[in-house]
PDB file of all heavy atoms in Angstrom:
ATOM      1  N   GLU A  14     -20.476  -4.685  15.689  1.00 98.00           N
ATOM      2  CA  GLU A  14     -21.551  -4.694  14.697  1.00 98.00           C
ATOM      3  C   GLU A  14     -21.791  -3.324  14.056  1.00 98.00           C
ATOM      4  O   GLU A  14     -22.575  -3.205  13.123  1.00 98.00           O
ATOM      5  CB  GLU A  14     -22.858  -5.174  15.357  1.00 98.00           C
ATOM      6  CG  GLU A  14     -22.744  -6.574  15.921  1.00 98.00           C
ATOM      7  CD  GLU A  14     -24.046  -7.086  16.529  1.00 98.00           C
ATOM      8  OE1 GLU A  14     -25.122  -6.681  16.059  1.00 98.00           O
ATOM      9  OE2 GLU A  14     -23.983  -7.881  17.472  1.00 98.00           O
ATOM     10  N   ASN A 106     -17.611 -15.749  17.116  1.00 98.00           N
ATOM     11  CA  ASN A 106     -18.228 -14.516  16.628  1.00 98.00           C
ATOM     12  C   ASN A 106     -17.522 -13.863  15.437  1.00 98.00           C
ATOM     13  O   ASN A 106     -18.200 -13.420  14.498  1.00 98.00           O
ATOM     14  CB  ASN A 106     -18.351 -13.560  17.828  1.00 98.00           C
ATOM     15  CG  ASN A 106     -18.663 -12.145  17.430  1.00 98.00           C
ATOM     16  OD1 ASN A 106     -17.778 -11.395  17.024  1.00 98.00           O
ATOM     17  ND2 ASN A 106     -19.917 -11.782  17.511  1.00 98.00           N
ATOM     18  N   VAL A 109     -18.648 -13.878  11.564  1.00 97.00           N
ATOM     19  CA  VAL A 109     -19.703 -13.081  10.935  1.00 97.00           C
ATOM     20  C   VAL A 109     -19.222 -11.675  10.571  1.00 97.00           C
ATOM     21  O   VAL A 109     -19.968 -10.888  10.009  1.00 97.00           O
ATOM     22  CB  VAL A 109     -20.985 -13.004  11.801  1.00 97.00           C
ATOM     23  CG1 VAL A 109     -21.695 -14.340  11.797  1.00 97.00           C
ATOM     24  CG2 VAL A 109     -20.684 -12.561  13.212  1.00 97.00           C
ATOM     25  N   HIS A 110     -17.977 -11.382  10.925  1.00 97.00           N
ATOM     26  CA  HIS A 110     -17.404 -10.080  10.551  1.00 97.00           C
ATOM     27  C   HIS A 110     -16.413 -10.253   9.399  1.00 97.00           C
ATOM     28  O   HIS A 110     -15.531  -9.427   9.216  1.00 97.00           O
ATOM     29  CB  HIS A 110     -16.683  -9.455  11.745  1.00 97.00           C
ATOM     30  CG  HIS A 110     -17.577  -9.126  12.898  1.00 97.00           C
ATOM     31  ND1 HIS A 110     -18.155  -7.888  13.073  1.00 97.00           N
ATOM     32  CD2 HIS A 110     -18.006  -9.867  13.942  1.00 97.00           C
ATOM     33  CE1 HIS A 110     -18.883  -7.878  14.175  1.00 97.00           C
ATOM     34  NE2 HIS A 110     -18.812  -9.075  14.722  1.00 97.00           N
ATOM     35  N   ALA A 133     -21.337 -19.312  18.770  1.00 98.00           N
ATOM     36  CA  ALA A 133     -21.649 -18.263  19.736  1.00 98.00           C
ATOM     37  C   ALA A 133     -23.144 -17.910  19.716  1.00 98.00           C
ATOM     38  O   ALA A 133     -23.641 -17.297  20.670  1.00 98.00           O
ATOM     39  CB  ALA A 133     -20.799 -17.026  19.446  1.00 98.00           C
ATOM     40  N   THR A 134     -23.858 -18.318  18.682  1.00 98.00           N
ATOM     41  CA  THR A 134     -25.287 -17.986  18.572  1.00 98.00           C
ATOM     42  C   THR A 134     -26.086 -18.332  19.824  1.00 98.00           C
ATOM     43  O   THR A 134     -26.905 -17.552  20.288  1.00 98.00           O
ATOM     44  CB  THR A 134     -25.884 -18.716  17.349  1.00 98.00           C
ATOM     45  OG1 THR A 134     -25.348 -18.112  16.178  1.00 98.00           O
ATOM     46  CG2 THR A 134     -27.396 -18.618  17.296  1.00 98.00           C
ATOM     47  N   ASN A 136     -25.126 -18.438  22.773  1.00 98.00           N
ATOM     48  CA  ASN A 136     -24.775 -17.575  23.899  1.00 98.00           C
ATOM     49  C   ASN A 136     -25.139 -16.130  23.565  1.00 98.00           C
ATOM     50  O   ASN A 136     -24.611 -15.193  24.156  1.00 98.00           O
ATOM     51  CB  ASN A 136     -23.271 -17.641  24.184  1.00 98.00           C
ATOM     52  CG  ASN A 136     -22.870 -18.974  24.775  1.00 98.00           C
ATOM     53  OD1 ASN A 136     -23.630 -19.560  25.543  1.00 98.00           O
ATOM     54  ND2 ASN A 136     -21.692 -19.460  24.411  1.00 98.00           N
ATOM     55  N   ASP A 137     -26.012 -15.969  22.593  1.00 98.00           N
ATOM     56  CA  ASP A 137     -26.204 -14.619  22.066  1.00 98.00           C
ATOM     57  C   ASP A 137     -27.616 -14.435  21.504  1.00 98.00           C
ATOM     58  O   ASP A 137     -28.603 -14.462  22.235  1.00 98.00           O
ATOM     59  CB  ASP A 137     -25.099 -14.377  21.010  1.00 98.00           C
ATOM     60  CG  ASP A 137     -24.980 -12.930  20.552  1.00 98.00           C
ATOM     61  OD1 ASP A 137     -25.868 -12.141  20.885  1.00 98.00           O
ATOM     62  OD2 ASP A 137     -24.007 -12.603  19.848  1.00 98.00           O
ATOM     63  N   GLN A 138     -27.736 -14.341  20.186  1.00 98.00           N
ATOM     64  CA  GLN A 138     -28.968 -13.866  19.559  1.00 98.00           C
ATOM     65  C   GLN A 138     -29.939 -14.963  19.153  1.00 98.00           C
ATOM     66  O   GLN A 138     -30.893 -14.702  18.437  1.00 98.00           O
ATOM     67  CB  GLN A 138     -28.619 -12.991  18.353  1.00 98.00           C
ATOM     68  CG  GLN A 138     -28.265 -13.725  17.054  1.00 98.00           C
ATOM     69  CD  GLN A 138     -26.938 -14.460  17.079  1.00 98.00           C
ATOM     70  OE1 GLN A 138     -26.198 -14.399  18.037  1.00 98.00           O
ATOM     71  NE2 GLN A 138     -26.655 -15.193  16.027  1.00 98.00           N
ATOM     72  N   SER A 179     -26.558  -3.814  18.751  1.00 98.00           N
ATOM     73  CA  SER A 179     -26.523  -5.215  18.371  1.00 98.00           C
ATOM     74  C   SER A 179     -27.881  -5.608  17.825  1.00 98.00           C
ATOM     75  O   SER A 179     -28.907  -5.201  18.368  1.00 98.00           O
ATOM     76  CB  SER A 179     -26.182  -6.054  19.601  1.00 98.00           C
ATOM     77  OG  SER A 179     -26.048  -7.402  19.229  1.00 98.00           O
ATOM     78  N   ARG A 298     -32.181  -6.798  23.667  1.00 98.00           N
ATOM     79  CA  ARG A 298     -30.920  -7.416  23.268  1.00 98.00           C
ATOM     80  C   ARG A 298     -30.351  -8.345  24.338  1.00 98.00           C
ATOM     81  O   ARG A 298     -31.105  -8.902  25.107  1.00 98.00           O
ATOM     82  CB  ARG A 298     -29.947  -6.291  22.873  1.00 98.00           C
ATOM     83  CG  ARG A 298     -28.950  -6.587  21.730  1.00 98.00           C
ATOM     84  CD  ARG A 298     -29.379  -7.508  20.627  1.00 98.00           C
ATOM     85  NE  ARG A 298     -29.349  -8.915  20.925  1.00 98.00           N
ATOM     86  CZ  ARG A 298     -28.298  -9.737  20.841  1.00 98.00           C
ATOM     87  NH1 ARG A 298     -27.124  -9.273  20.482  1.00 98.00           N
ATOM     88  NH2 ARG A 298     -28.379 -11.016  21.126  1.00 98.00           N
ATOM     89  N   MET A 299     -29.022  -8.443  24.433  1.00 98.00           N
ATOM     90  CA  MET A 299     -28.394  -9.502  25.235  1.00 98.00           C
ATOM     91  C   MET A 299     -29.076  -9.785  26.580  1.00 98.00           C
ATOM     92  O   MET A 299     -29.284 -10.938  26.947  1.00 98.00           O
ATOM     93  CB  MET A 299     -26.937  -9.136  25.514  1.00 98.00           C
ATOM     94  CG  MET A 299     -25.960  -9.511  24.430  1.00 98.00           C
ATOM     95  SD  MET A 299     -25.917 -11.268  24.079  1.00 98.00           S
ATOM     96  CE  MET A 299     -24.876 -11.853  25.416  1.00 98.00           C
ATOM     97  N   PHE A 449     -23.855  -7.790   8.815  1.00 98.00           N
ATOM     98  CA  PHE A 449     -24.355  -6.617   9.527  1.00 98.00           C
ATOM     99  C   PHE A 449     -25.055  -5.611   8.615  1.00 98.00           C
ATOM    100  O   PHE A 449     -25.818  -4.773   9.087  1.00 98.00           O
ATOM    101  CB  PHE A 449     -23.255  -6.013  10.400  1.00 98.00           C
ATOM    102  CG  PHE A 449     -22.824  -7.015  11.434  1.00 98.00           C
ATOM    103  CD1 PHE A 449     -21.627  -7.703  11.323  1.00 98.00           C
ATOM    104  CD2 PHE A 449     -23.679  -7.357  12.460  1.00 98.00           C
ATOM    105  CE1 PHE A 449     -21.282  -8.687  12.227  1.00 98.00           C
ATOM    106  CE2 PHE A 449     -23.360  -8.336  13.372  1.00 98.00           C
ATOM    107  CZ  PHE A 449     -22.148  -9.010  13.262  1.00 98.00           C
ATOM    108  N   ARG A 636     -20.773  -4.861  29.232  1.00 98.00           N
ATOM    109  CA  ARG A 636     -19.739  -4.596  28.225  1.00 98.00           C
ATOM    110  C   ARG A 636     -19.173  -3.194  28.441  1.00 98.00           C
ATOM    111  O   ARG A 636     -19.845  -2.329  28.993  1.00 98.00           O
ATOM    112  CB  ARG A 636     -20.344  -4.711  26.823  1.00 98.00           C
ATOM    113  CG  ARG A 636     -20.513  -6.148  26.373  1.00 98.00           C
ATOM    114  CD  ARG A 636     -21.193  -6.256  25.021  1.00 98.00           C
ATOM    115  NE  ARG A 636     -20.941  -7.548  24.403  1.00 98.00           N
ATOM    116  CZ  ARG A 636     -21.512  -8.692  24.782  1.00 98.00           C
ATOM    117  NH1 ARG A 636     -22.391  -8.710  25.773  1.00 98.00           N
ATOM    118  NH2 ARG A 636     -21.221  -9.826  24.169  1.00 98.00           N
ATOM    119  N   ASN A 642     -15.379  -8.573  23.617  1.00 98.00           N
ATOM    120  CA  ASN A 642     -15.430  -9.977  23.987  1.00 98.00           C
ATOM    121  C   ASN A 642     -14.095 -10.379  24.613  1.00 98.00           C
ATOM    122  O   ASN A 642     -13.607  -9.650  25.468  1.00 98.00           O
ATOM    123  CB  ASN A 642     -15.850 -10.834  22.792  1.00 98.00           C
ATOM    124  CG  ASN A 642     -17.310 -10.529  22.397  1.00 98.00           C
ATOM    125  OD1 ASN A 642     -18.108 -10.179  23.242  1.00 98.00           O
ATOM    126  ND2 ASN A 642     -17.629 -10.650  21.137  1.00 98.00           N
ATOM    127  N   HIS A 706     -17.698 -10.052  30.761  1.00 98.00           N
ATOM    128  CA  HIS A 706     -17.180 -11.349  30.310  1.00 98.00           C
ATOM    129  C   HIS A 706     -15.940 -11.138  29.431  1.00 98.00           C
ATOM    130  O   HIS A 706     -15.639 -10.024  29.033  1.00 98.00           O
ATOM    131  CB  HIS A 706     -18.246 -12.125  29.529  1.00 98.00           C
ATOM    132  CG  HIS A 706     -18.438 -11.610  28.135  1.00 98.00           C
ATOM    133  ND1 HIS A 706     -19.131 -10.459  27.881  1.00 98.00           N
ATOM    134  CD2 HIS A 706     -18.017 -12.063  26.928  1.00 98.00           C
ATOM    135  CE1 HIS A 706     -19.139 -10.228  26.581  1.00 98.00           C
ATOM    136  NE2 HIS A 706     -18.460 -11.185  25.968  1.00 98.00           N
TER     137      HIS A 706
HETATM  138 MO1  LIG B 804     -22.350 -11.435  20.372  1.00 90.89          MO
END
Side-chain angles (χ1 to χ4, degrees):
E14 300 182 30
N106 166 280
V109 288
H110 296 267
T134 290
N136 289 325
D137 191 349
Q138 81 290 356
S179 184
R298 214 32 282 275
M299 275 300 280
F449 298 105
R636 282 176 160 74
N642 293 330
H706 76 284

